[in-house]
């Protein structure tokens, strides 16, 4: 639900979630979905989660068929357990490895996204500084032009006053 909210877009109001269109979310969802749908070695005859009643359903939500799970577990409890806990190849190990790869500090998906956002923020801050300098110089130039126009207007008004006086003398 949190991912749905963050990646949503409402075409009526044009309101979009903060992560709308962000490929990082798709990458993470795709990797997690592959873990859930892949085969697992070393668990005997049960190699996929759908065999025990776990599958990806509507809107990429995990669905659990408890009846199917109980039936398979009753027939092959060791295979079901191995599917989850088999060292290196069970769901637990594969899921842990996948999450670790996405969250590693130096090259994980999230670390790379964080670095990208930091670089973008730095670039935007540099742009803001540059525009602020440019605006300050334009403001100074416009203020100088305004002051010149004011003094020119004052001189013209003095001349107009003098001309009025001269025209009245004649």
């Amino acid at each position: 639900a949190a991912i749905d909210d963050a990646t949503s877009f409402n075409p009526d109001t044009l309101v979009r979630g903060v992560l709308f269109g962000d490929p990082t979310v798709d990458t993470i969802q795709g990797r997690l979905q592959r873990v859930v749908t892949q085969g697992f070695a070393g668990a005997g005859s049960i190699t996929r989660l759908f065999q025990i009643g776990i599958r990806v359903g509507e809107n990429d939500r995990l669905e659990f068929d408890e009846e199917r799970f109980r039936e398979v577990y009753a027939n092959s409890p060791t295979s079901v357990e191995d599917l989850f806990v088999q060292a290196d190849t069970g769901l637990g190990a594969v899921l842990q490895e996948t999450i670790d790869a996405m969250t590693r500090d130096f090259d994980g998906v999230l670390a790379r996204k964080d670095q990208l956002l930091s670089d973008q923020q730095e670039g935007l801050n540099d742009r803001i500084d540059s525009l602020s300098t440019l605006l300050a110089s334009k403001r100074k130039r416009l203020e100088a032009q305004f002051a010149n126009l004011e003094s020119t207007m004052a001189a013209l008004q003095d001349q107009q006053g003098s001309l009025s006086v001269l025209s009245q003398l004649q």
Side-chain angles (χ1 to χ4, degrees):
I3 290 176
D4 291 340
D5 290 342
T7 59
S8 67
F9 175 73
N10 184 328
D12 298 329
T13 62
L14 301 179
V15 173
R16 63 188 193 119
V18 295
L19 297 175
F20 176 74
D22 188 331
T24 305
V25 175
D26 294 333
T27 299
I28 292 169
Q29 281 183 312
R31 288 184 186 182
L32 292 174
Q33 189 172 31
R34 274 194 299 282
V35 168
V36 173
T37 59
Q38 76 179 37
F40 298 93
S45 62
I46 300 174
T47 60
R48 297 190 179 271
L49 290 175
F50 76 84
Q51 291 175 286
I52 61 168
I54 299 173
R55 68 182 190 90
V56 177
E58 188 177 323
N59 294 324
D60 294 326
R61 301 270 190 252
L62 282 181
E63 294 179 355
F64 178 63
D65 182 343
E66 184 178 351
E67 186 177 314
R68 173 78 177 147
F69 179 82
R70 289 185 184 278
E71 177 186 320
V72 174
Y73 188 76
N75 292 331
S76 304
T78 304
S79 292
V80 172
E81 290 170 11
D82 286 346
L83 178 68
F84 288 98
V85 299
Q86 190 73 11
D88 298 327
T89 59
L91 173 64
V94 171
L95 187 58
Q96 184 66 52
E97 181 182 320
T98 301
I99 290 171
D100 287 348
M102 289 188 294
T103 59
R104 273 193 302 263
D105 286 343
F106 57 94
D107 71 342
V109 172
L110 297 176
R112 288 192 318 259
K113 183 62 174 187
D114 187 48
Q115 184 60 50
L116 174 67
L117 291 173
S118 292
D119 292 347
Q120 286 176 341
Q121 181 180 13
E122 187 178 320
L124 289 172
N125 286 337
D126 289 347
R127 179 90 171 123
I128 288 169
D129 291 344
S130 173
L131 288 173
S132 293
T133 301
L134 180 67
L135 286 173
S137 99
K138 283 189 178 192
R139 179 183 179 130
K140 190 175 182 180
R141 183 178 43 104
L142 289 172
E143 285 174 346
Q145 286 177 344
F146 181 76
N148 285 338
L149 285 173
E150 283 287 314
S151 65
T152 303
M153 289 272 298
L156 287 173
Q157 286 174 344
D158 282 347
Q159 287 178 2
Q160 182 183 13
S162 297
L163 289 173
S164 285
V165 168
L166 285 175
S167 70
Q168 289 177 356
L169 291 175
Q170 293 178 347

